[in-house]
Amino acid sequence: RNTLRLQKSRGVSPLFRSARSRPVITPTRTGVETRALLGKPEGYEGIHWKDLGAEVRLSVPIAPDVSRRDIQLKWFPSRIDLKIKGKDILAGKLEQVIDEEECIWSIEGEDEDRELELILTKKGYDGPWEAIFEEDVKTRGSEEVVDECWMDISIGDKPAGRIIFGLFGNAVPLTSENFRVLCEGTTGKSYKNSRFHRIIPEFM
């Protein structure tokens, strides 16, 4: 049977090239696709968060009459469960693993400016978080193509055309960047002379 392999085309060097000329960024993570599953319940739209490097600060506005006894919080390596006065406030998966033994919470502020502050300690720092809430992903323009790469294909020794890939850099920036770097091959690693493991007609 014919085997597809990637072949350098005439006048194209390197084999894979980004359509946009810019310095190559060496990725720090491979194949990370961000999906934030925490939602904001009604009345708690003011919840906000900030990445502090090795930690993430998550601030939840609370009413003046909320006491420590009203707060039920459980930490897990990849999710958190928060209830206030029996109401589910935060529940779902996190983008990365946290060290639940190092996570802390406290009540900050007074009267109408009170907040429940959660400090999520990352387990094995692996770069900044890109999202915590579902809305963080929805507002990124996930269907916008922000970059393009291509591969020149050959079947046997005969050129078979070019495949152009559109990269959804707003939705999955790290995955897109990793793919672009491997297409360019300027870091010493690339898809050059790779073979397709399987081809399914009309599918992939």
Side-chain angles (χ1 to χ4, degrees):
R1 64 182 179 180
N2 288 332
T3 301
L4 287 179
R5 66 183 178 85
L6 306 181
Q7 174 177 298
K8 184 175 179 179
S9 62
R10 295 179 181 177
V12 179
S13 179
L15 173 62
F16 308 112
R17 192 185 302 274
S18 172
R20 185 159 48 107
S21 230
R22 58 190 174 95
V24 173
I25 301 174
T26 303
T28 57
R29 290 188 286 176
T30 303
V32 175
E33 185 171 334
T34 300
R35 287 293 179 267
L37 300 180
L38 296 182
K40 294 181 180 180
E42 184 178 353
Y44 285 86
E45 291 79 8
I47 298 175
H48 57 281
W49 67 283
K50 184 176 183 179
D51 192 296
L52 303 176
E55 300 174 336
V56 171
R57 182 177 64 216
L58 184 58
S59 302
V60 181
I62 57 176
D65 62 340
V66 172
S67 68
R68 296 180 67 89
R69 294 192 303 271
D70 298 323
I71 297 170
Q72 296 174 299
L73 177 62
K74 295 181 180 179
W75 312 99
F76 300 94
S78 59
R79 76 178 198 275
I80 58 175
D81 291 326
L82 171 64
K83 296 176 185 274
I84 297 180
K85 291 189 173 183
K87 180 179 180 179
D88 289 323
I89 305 302
L90 297 175
K93 297 182 66 176
L94 298 170
E95 180 181 355
Q96 297 183 27
V97 176
I98 61 174
D99 187 346
E100 66 268 32
E101 299 295 331
E102 297 295 326
C103 296
I104 60 173
W105 65 273
S106 62
I107 295 177
E108 306 293 337
E110 297 180 354
D111 301 326
E112 300 297 329
D113 296 324
R114 298 177 80 224
E115 289 185 330
L116 172 62
E117 186 174 280
L118 314 180
I119 301 296
L120 311 180
T121 303
K122 301 175 185 178
K123 190 167 186 177
Y125 177 66
D126 195 21
W129 288 13
E130 297 162 354
I132 284 184
F133 299 104
E134 293 172 349
E135 66 182 38
D136 296 334
V137 175
K138 293 176 182 177
T139 56
R140 284 195 204 160
S142 58
E143 296 182 357
E144 179 186 2
V145 175
V146 300
D147 204 351
E148 288 185 346
C149 296
W150 64 75
M151 294 182 181
D152 290 327
I153 310 299
S154 65
I155 302 177
D157 294 325
K158 297 182 180 180
R162 171 173 290 181
I163 299 175
I164 299 176
F165 300 90
L167 306 183
F168 301 119
N170 289 330
V172 284
L174 292 171
T175 301
S176 297
E177 185 64 13
N178 291 338
F179 185 81
R180 184 192 67 80
V181 170
L182 287 172
C183 281
E184 289 187 334
T186 50
T187 62
K189 297 180 179 180
S190 76
Y191 293 117
K192 184 177 181 180
N193 294 325
S194 297
R195 297 183 179 186
F196 288 97
H197 172 68
R198 184 182 184 192
I199 296 177
I200 303 175
E202 305 299 328
F203 181 59
M204 69 176 182

